[in-house]
């Protein structure tokens, strides 16, 4: 071992070795993997080695595809077999609803370019003769599944990294991590001190402990998991070549070929945590004695589905530990406030995700940018709340227990809730609010018609839609109040505020008393935020963004913040309020303010401090519903008083509380995009239409060169609004859009436009198709529906209502 490297990767599991390989691949070869014991000595050695490309997040799914595809290259470069069997995999549907879901999953595969297909129960049993087809509705075959040898794969990555110049140091625990005055990392290790520029935490079962060495408490926790391996089974032995893996979606089990027997793993409904802080340092390559009683209910179902297991001997049990995060995806990337420390941990599907993680971390270290939209695994997607013991236990248990349980798109899951509530929570609750959760915060979805109303879990439109329709109608005909606690706010002040924001934001800064939309770009010209900027005073600005992006945005802001002259404060929890919009919203506001809020005195995009009722507020003339509207922001301790005063003033003007579902319907009627759907890290101003507010002639903003290049060269896809001939279900996200069997686009969000009575979808569609505007088809819950691109939004296309001016034409 040398005493200095550019990068030290802590941990020689499948993830750490992949990170080192990818760094070397990018030309950064002054890298060492420092491993406590032997390679694979954490979770990796006893894994079942299964892999698959499917993931609810399409960007992560693409990286999983990349992972699977890369094994051949790693084998070639290392001259070592990873023992891969690309056997394909079968998911079994035991209920009609699950069968419908598999059909829509097939459409998802088609959108992703995977050659999946449906099977009858008998066809499934033909491919895997130990499957009992009784009671099955059908199955889905996915060719991008299989299994490999975990030990072989890890050593292959390590050898391939070594061949490119990286070093692997074994039997050497990292004892502590410290930042030196020179800005390096000093690692005390069992074999002596080492310094480096970057340190990567790929500590697997110990990653939480490694994180705490630098003051970071990662939201991950080890949990226990069982699988068994059987003696030879004649029906399996008789199969020449690979046998597809099987996931029994109603049975909590997965099965794959292991020699001439099978391996059966169980995701039980009452999972068990183990050493929440991370394994002890002296924990070796140990297994636990099997605890069959704990998994008996799920095993019993498994033995009904695979009856031969009742008669065959069990060769060995594996009962080991691996780490989970609240949403089951890994924790990857830099951590705000800890320069050159990188997370590459919390990975529960190492053999599907190791290369995706390695690629993102290597790109990020080398280029300062992961190169892909990796928000779904970005360590910044969770706030500090996620590391609270109770929250972490509940959410990880929920994820584990529901690994194979069908999730409905409108289903609200209970774990870790309620965690954060606003001062109006009880008021909303007593008014029948049904809540969803945003970064731990309870947010009204809609206000139910009666206390005993229960929403049905469904793949289509739910029985809550008539209520949502009433909320939409209230906004279109009178007024709706929408809580805006789930907007993040940052106050930027100081003599350097203007010049800093001018560089950070791609739009021109507003005059005092005005608001602007302000896309934020990376150097590569990709979107990093769809903020609005309000100028309250010459040197006082508010940036408004998405609530759940706080850690992500703060990391970006701080990376670019000058040492002096600018003060940045996150005031999200200190300020809340309501967005009141609809034709009567001005009349409501006028009852509460002394200021003149007429169109002439307080036009669209104006912002001003004014007393609203009993409280000093900041009021912005802005709305996402397409109606005349105001955002009223007050100190959090006045938030509830504002609600009561608004309700009193609004009683005779038809004011109604509205939730997220109504807002979605309203914004789609106007074709407005939002972050994580239309606007994402892999999007650009030209694609998303945000180029209309980019000040191309403004010097020096981040991403200008790339944005200019894009304007010059044009874009491959553009954001458009579609009308879809859907019957009882709407598009939601990631559905494919087709023209003569060719994929020409993908849906970013969809909803029923209750006022315009159309099923609507925003989507990225190939530019030539956008221009030709032919009849298209859109996959909606597995069925192809006709759809067409709208030239203008179906509601108030001229924007006269929003601006409160006479309609054009
Ligand atoms: C029973 C079971 C079955 C599984 N089946 C599958 C499967 O089929 N498919 C799949 O994809 N995944 C499976 N997994 C999960 C899989 O094992 C993990 O996703 C994967 O191994 C995680 O790899 P890692 O490199 O992140 O962590 P680990 O394998 O835990 O590696 C971390 C390494 O870091 C080292 N380390 C930690 N701290 C230090 C330190 N301070 N100094 C030096 N070194 C340190 C450790 O010694 C260890 O070797 C299974 C897990 C279990 C338990």
């Amino acid at each position: 071992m040398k005493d200095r490297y550019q990068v030290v990767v802590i941990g020689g599991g499948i993830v750490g070795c992949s990170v080192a390989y990818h760094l070397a691949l990018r030309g950064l070869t002054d890298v060492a993997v420092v491993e406590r014991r032997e390679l694979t000595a954490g979770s990796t050695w006893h894994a079942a080695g299964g892999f698959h490309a499917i993931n609810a997040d399409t960007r992560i799914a693409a990286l999983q595809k990349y992972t699977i595809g890369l094994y051949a290259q790693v084998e070639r470069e290392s001259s070592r077999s990873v023992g891969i069997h690309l056997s394909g995999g079968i998911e079994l549907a035991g209920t009609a609803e699950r069968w419908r879901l598999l059909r829509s999953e097939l459409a998802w595969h088609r959108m992703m370019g995977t050659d999946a297909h449906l099977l009858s129960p008998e066809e499934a049993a033909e491919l895997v003769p130990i499957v009992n087809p009784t009671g099955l509705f059908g199955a889905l075959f996915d060719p991008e599944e299989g299994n490999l040898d975990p030990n072989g794969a890890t050593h292959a990555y390590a050898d391939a990294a070594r061949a490119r110049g990286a070093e692997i140091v074994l039997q050497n625990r990292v004892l502590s991590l410290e930042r030196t005055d020179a800005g390096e990392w000093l690692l005390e290790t069992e074999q002596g001190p080492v310094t480096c520029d970057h340190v990567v935490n790929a500590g697997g079962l110990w990653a939480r402990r490694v994180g705490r060495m630098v003051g970071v408490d990662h939201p991950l926790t080890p949990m226990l998991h069982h699988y068994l391996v059987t003696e030879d089974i004649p029906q399996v032995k008789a199969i020449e070549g690979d046998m597809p893996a099987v996931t029994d979606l109603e049975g909590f089990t997965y099965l794959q070929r292991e020699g001439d027997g099978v391996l059966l793993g169980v995701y039980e409904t009452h999972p068990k945590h183990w050493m929440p802080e991370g394994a002890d340092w002296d924990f070796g390559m140990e297994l636990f004695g099997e605890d069959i009683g704990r998994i008996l209910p799920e095993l019993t179902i498994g033995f009904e589905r695979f009856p031969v297991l009742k008669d065959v001997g069990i060769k060995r049990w594996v009962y080991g530990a691996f780490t989970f995060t609240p949403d089951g995806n890994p924790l990857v990337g830099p951590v705000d406030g800890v320069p050159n420390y990188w997370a590459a941990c919390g990975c529960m599907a190492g053999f599907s995700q190791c290369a995706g993680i390695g690629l993102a971390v290597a790109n990020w270290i080398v280029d300062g940018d992961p190169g892909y939209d990796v928000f779904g695994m970005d360590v910044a997607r969770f706030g500090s709340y996620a590391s609270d013991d109770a929250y972490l236990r509940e959410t990880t248990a929920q994820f584990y227990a529901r690994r194979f349980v069908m999730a409905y798109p409108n289903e609200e899951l209970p774990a870790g809730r309620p965690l954060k509530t606003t001062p109006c929570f009880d008021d909303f609750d007593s008014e029948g609010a049904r809540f969803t959760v945003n970064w731990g915060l309870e947010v009204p979805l809609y206000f139910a018609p009666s206390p005993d109303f229960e929403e049905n879990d469904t793949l289509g439109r739910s029985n809550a839609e008539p209520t949502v329709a009433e909320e939409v109608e209230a906004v279109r005909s009178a007024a709706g109040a929408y809580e805006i606690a789930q907007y993040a706010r940052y106050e930027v002040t100081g003599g350097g505020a203007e010049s800093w924001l001018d560089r950070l934001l791609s739009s021109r800064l507003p005059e005092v008393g005005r608001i602007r939309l302000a896309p934020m770009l990376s150097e590569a010209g990709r979107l990093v935020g769809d903020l609005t900027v309000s100028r309250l005073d010459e040197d006082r600005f508010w940036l408004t963004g998405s609530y759940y992006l706080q850690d992500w945005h703060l990391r970006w802001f701080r990376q670019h913040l000058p040492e002096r002259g600018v003060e940045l404060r996150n005031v999200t929890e200190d300020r809340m309020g309501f967005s009141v919009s609809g034709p009567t919203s001005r009349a409501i506001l006028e009852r509460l303010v002394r200021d003149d809020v007429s169109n002439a005195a307080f036009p669209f995009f104006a912002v001003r401090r004014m007393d609203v009722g009993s409280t000093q507020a900041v009021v912005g003339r802005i709305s996402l519903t397409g109606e005349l509207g105001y955002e009223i922001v007050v100190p959090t301790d006045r938030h509830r008083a504002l609600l009561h005063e608004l309700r009193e003033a609004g009683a005779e003007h038809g004011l109604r509380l509205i939730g997220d579902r109504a807002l979605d319907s309203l914004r789609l009627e106007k074709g407005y995009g939002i972050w994580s759907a239309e606007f994402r890290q892999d999007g650009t101003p030209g694609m998303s239409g945000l180029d209309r507010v980019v000040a191309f002639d403004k010097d020096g903003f981040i991403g200008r060169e790339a944005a200019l290049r894009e304007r010059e060269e044009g874009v491959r896809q553009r954001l458009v609004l579609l009308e879809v001939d859907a019957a009882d279900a709407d598009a939601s996200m990631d559905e494919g859009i087709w023209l003569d069997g060719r994929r020409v686009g993908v849906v970013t969000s969809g909803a029923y436009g209750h006022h315009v009575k159309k099923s609507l979808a925003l989507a990225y569609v190939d530019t030539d198709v956008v221009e030709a505007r032919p009849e298209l088809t859109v996959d909606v819950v597995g069925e192809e529906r006709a759809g067409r691109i709208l030239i203008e939004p179906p509601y108030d296309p001229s924007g006269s209502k929003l601006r409160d001016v006479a309609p054009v034409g």
Side-chain angles (χ1 to χ4, degrees):
M1 183 175 75
K2 298 192 297 182
D3 59 6
R4 191 186 146 73
Y5 297 89
Q6 260 179 292
V7 185
V8 170
V9 180
I10 302 177
I14 187 70
V15 172
C17 291
S18 164
V19 170
Y21 172 71
H22 279 88
L23 284 166
L25 208 56
R26 289 296 321 268
L28 212 164
T29 55
D30 188 18
V31 174
V33 172
V34 177
E35 165 54 46
R36 209 176 115 254
R37 298 222 168 148
E38 300 297 332
L39 293 180
T40 78
S43 297
T44 300
W45 71 275
H46 55 291
F51 58 78
H52 49 83
I54 195 162
N55 189 295
D57 182 315
T58 50
R59 273 71 175 179
I60 296 183
L63 288 171
Q64 293 186 184
K65 261 177 186 275
Y66 166 75
T67 297
I68 297 167
L70 198 74
Y71 285 118
Q73 176 177 322
V74 176
E75 274 190 334
R76 248 189 342 269
E77 290 195 20
S78 63
S79 307
R80 229 183 218 275
S81 166
V82 306
I84 197 163
H85 296 276
L86 196 56
S87 58
I90 298 175
E91 287 180 284
L92 305 177
T95 64
E97 206 48 2
R98 171 66 84 176
W99 180 225
R100 194 174 177 211
L101 185 79
L102 283 191
R103 293 203 307 273
S104 85
E105 206 174 293
L106 177 71
W108 182 88
H109 280 289
R110 201 159 78 101
M111 187 277 294
M112 292 293 290
T114 314
D115 196 14
H117 57 269
L118 297 174
L119 300 170
S120 67
E122 294 69 34
E123 285 170 327
E126 224 167 274
L127 284 173
V128 183
I130 60 171
V131 166
N132 170 11
T134 313
L136 289 181
F137 282 70
L140 182 130
F141 180 84
D142 174 0
E144 289 183 334
E145 278 195 49
N147 62 81
L148 47 66
D149 163 20
N151 188 53
T154 310
H155 280 273
Y157 262 116
D159 284 357
R162 233 187 242 121
R164 287 180 174 268
E167 223 179 291
I168 311 284
V169 183
L170 302 177
Q171 304 294 342
N172 189 23
R173 173 151 76 91
V174 174
L175 305 167
S176 68
L177 277 168
E178 204 182 300
R179 269 235 10 120
T180 67
D181 292 342
E184 292 177 324
W185 284 109
L186 170 65
L187 285 73
E188 286 301 340
T189 79
E190 287 173 334
Q191 294 176 21
V194 187
T195 57
C196 60
D197 298 328
H198 299 270
V199 67
V200 180
N201 178 357
L205 279 180
W206 296 265
R208 208 165 177 198
R209 290 186 189 276
V210 173
R212 285 190 174 152
M213 291 180 187
V214 299
V216 176
D217 190 10
H218 288 302
L220 59 86
T221 184
M223 296 177 78
L224 300 181
H225 184 66
H226 275 99
Y227 66 78
L228 61 86
V229 178
T230 69
E231 303 283 0
D232 290 359
I233 300 173
Q235 295 96 312
V236 174
K237 200 170 182 168
I239 300 173
E240 275 180 32
D242 293 335
M243 180 187 92
V246 183
T247 309
D248 184 5
L249 296 171
E250 271 69 45
F252 313 99
T253 53
Y254 61 92
L255 175 131
Q256 66 195 38
R257 182 171 190 161
E258 180 88 4
D260 287 334
V262 294
L263 176 160
L264 181 87
V266 181
Y267 276 98
E268 65 274 21
T269 45
H270 295 289
K272 197 167 171 184
H273 290 85
W274 176 77
M275 297 211 176
E277 309 294 311
D280 283 343
W281 288 120
D282 58 3
F283 182 69
M285 292 171 83
E286 295 160 44
L287 292 175
F288 309 98
E290 64 269 21
D291 185 357
I292 299 169
R294 219 167 56 67
I295 57 169
L296 199 56
E298 293 82 8
L299 264 188
T300 309
I301 303 173
F303 280 34
E304 291 304 320
R305 184 58 69 211
F306 310 105
V308 71
L309 298 183
K310 292 179 194 158
D311 307 320
V312 71
I314 293 173
K315 201 153 65 178
R316 73 192 150 99
W317 280 96
V318 174
Y319 188 26
F322 60 134
T323 58
F324 285 78
T325 63
D327 62 7
N329 279 324
L331 303 172
V332 177
V335 175
D336 185 28
V338 194
N340 296 344
Y341 164 85
W342 302 84
C345 50
C347 175
M348 57 82 49
F351 303 98
S352 303
Q353 297 181 334
C354 60
I357 297 172
L359 178 69
V361 172
N363 285 346
W364 227 327
I365 290 178
V366 174
D367 304 328
D369 185 320
Y372 299 86
D373 181 350
V374 295
F375 187 75
M377 58 185 194
D378 193 321
V379 63
R381 75 188 180 283
F382 292 115
S384 57
Y385 65 87
S387 304
D388 291 353
D389 195 46
Y391 181 86
L392 194 52
R393 281 184 89 82
E394 279 185 42
T395 50
T396 48
Q398 176 176 275
F399 175 83
Y400 184 107
R402 292 181 58 91
R403 183 111 164 83
F404 297 149
V405 174
M406 175 161 169
Y408 290 92
N410 68 329
E411 201 176 350
E412 287 297 323
L413 300 179
R417 297 177 63 182
L419 182 72
K420 296 191 259 174
T421 55
T422 76
C424 297
F425 178 77
D426 289 341
D427 297 80
F428 293 156
D429 195 35
S430 62
E431 300 248 5
R434 298 294 186 268
F435 294 91
T436 187
V437 68
N438 179 345
W439 225 54
L441 181 72
E442 294 296 322
V443 171
L445 264 179
Y446 59 90
F447 291 82
S450 65
D452 55 0
F453 174 81
E454 275 189 35
E455 185 172 354
N456 58 332
D457 293 334
T458 174
L459 295 167
R461 281 182 209 136
S462 87
N463 56 345
E465 284 304 299
T467 304
V468 175
E470 287 175 17
E471 292 179 13
V472 166
E473 232 22 71
V475 176
R476 293 281 180 246
S477 63
Y482 174 80
E483 191 188 47
I484 51 173
Q486 55 169 329
Y487 291 178
R489 262 178 211 84
Y490 313 93
E491 188 171 74
V492 183
T493 53
E498 180 175 18
S499 63
W500 180 59
L501 288 176
D502 217 25
R503 179 168 150 63
L504 194 75
L505 306 175
S506 65
S507 62
R508 212 168 291 292
L509 293 183
E511 303 289 314
V512 175
R514 303 287 297 164
I515 304 173
R516 270 237 164 91
L517 300 179
M520 197 160 58
L521 306 182
S522 69
E523 287 293 355
R526 287 194 289 270
L527 298 173
V528 212
D530 61 338
L531 306 174
T532 57
V533 54
S534 306
R535 192 164 196 167
L536 303 180
D537 299 311
E538 201 57 42
D539 286 339
R540 182 175 302 272
F541 298 82
W542 274 6
L543 298 175
T544 309
S546 304
Y547 185 78
Y548 66 95
L549 296 178
Q550 283 174 70
D551 278 11
W552 194 67
H553 273 150
L554 283 166
R555 187 177 69 193
W556 181 261
F557 294 152
R558 292 203 185 109
Q559 272 168 10
H560 295 88
L561 203 62
E563 278 187 8
R564 259 182 288 297
V566 183
E567 233 184 274
L568 169 73
R569 243 169 26 99
N570 182 1
V571 297
T572 306
E573 303 299 341
D574 310 338
R575 309 265 158 182
M576 292 185 180
F578 286 87
S579 166
V580 181
S581 67
T584 65
S585 58
R586 179 177 293 132
I588 296 168
L589 188 64
E590 278 171 339
R591 293 199 51 180
L592 294 172
V593 297
R594 285 187 307 276
D595 292 55
D596 180 356
V597 288
S598 66
N599 226 14
F602 197 55
F604 186 53
F605 273 150
V607 62
R608 195 187 296 165
R609 291 187 187 88
M610 58 179 94
D611 283 6
V612 178
S614 59
T615 307
Q616 282 189 354
V618 172
V619 182
R621 171 77 195 279
I622 183 170
S623 92
L624 195 64
T625 62
E627 300 291 344
L628 167 72
Y630 304 88
E631 283 182 8
I632 308 165
V633 179
V634 294
T636 298
D637 58 5
R638 304 298 301 152
H639 180 56
R640 187 158 179 257
L642 175 66
L643 171 68
H644 287 255
E645 287 167 356
L646 278 172
R647 302 223 57 192
E648 215 178 295
E652 67 191 56
H653 294 288
L655 180 73
R656 186 179 171 139
L657 291 173
I658 69 162
D660 259 12
R661 293 252 180 93
L663 191 71
D664 246 1
S665 175
L666 290 157
R667 76 165 178 95
L668 273 149
E669 292 186 342
K670 287 290 293 173
Y672 292 153
I674 55 169
W675 194 265
S676 274
E678 289 69 41
F679 309 138
R680 299 190 61 129
Q681 221 176 327
D682 51 10
T684 63
M687 289 169 62
S688 62
L690 287 173
D691 55 347
R692 72 186 189 281
V693 291
V694 170
F696 288 98
D697 56 349
K698 184 178 87 167
D699 276 340
F701 66 84
I702 300 171
R704 180 168 181 256
E705 299 306 308
L708 281 170
R709 220 167 26 247
E710 177 183 69
R711 191 173 62 161
E712 190 81 13
E713 291 168 3
V715 291
R716 207 179 53 76
Q717 287 202 316
R718 275 181 21 213
L719 184 64
V720 291
L721 184 63
L722 290 135
E723 177 186 352
V724 185
D725 295 344
D728 63 347
D730 304 292
S732 54
M733 183 180 265
D734 295 330
E735 291 89 350
I737 298 174
W738 303 89
L739 173 64
D740 303 329
R742 174 170 68 99
R743 201 196 93 172
V744 294
V746 61
V747 170
T748 51
S749 59
Y752 189 69
H754 284 286
H755 182 75
V756 300
K757 309 220 172 334
K758 290 179 194 303
S759 181
L760 298 167
L762 280 161
Y764 278 102
V765 173
D766 292 353
T767 307
D768 56 331
V769 176
V770 174
E771 277 153 18
R773 293 204 304 115
E775 188 82 4
L776 302 165
T777 62
V778 183
D779 292 324
V780 179
V781 195
E783 289 177 29
E784 276 193 56
R785 298 277 175 185
R788 61 211 63 85
I789 296 168
L790 300 172
I791 331 174
E792 52 184 26
Y795 183 73
D796 187 28
S798 70
S800 61
K801 294 192 186 285
L802 184 69
R803 291 183 164 74
D804 193 27
V805 294
V808 181

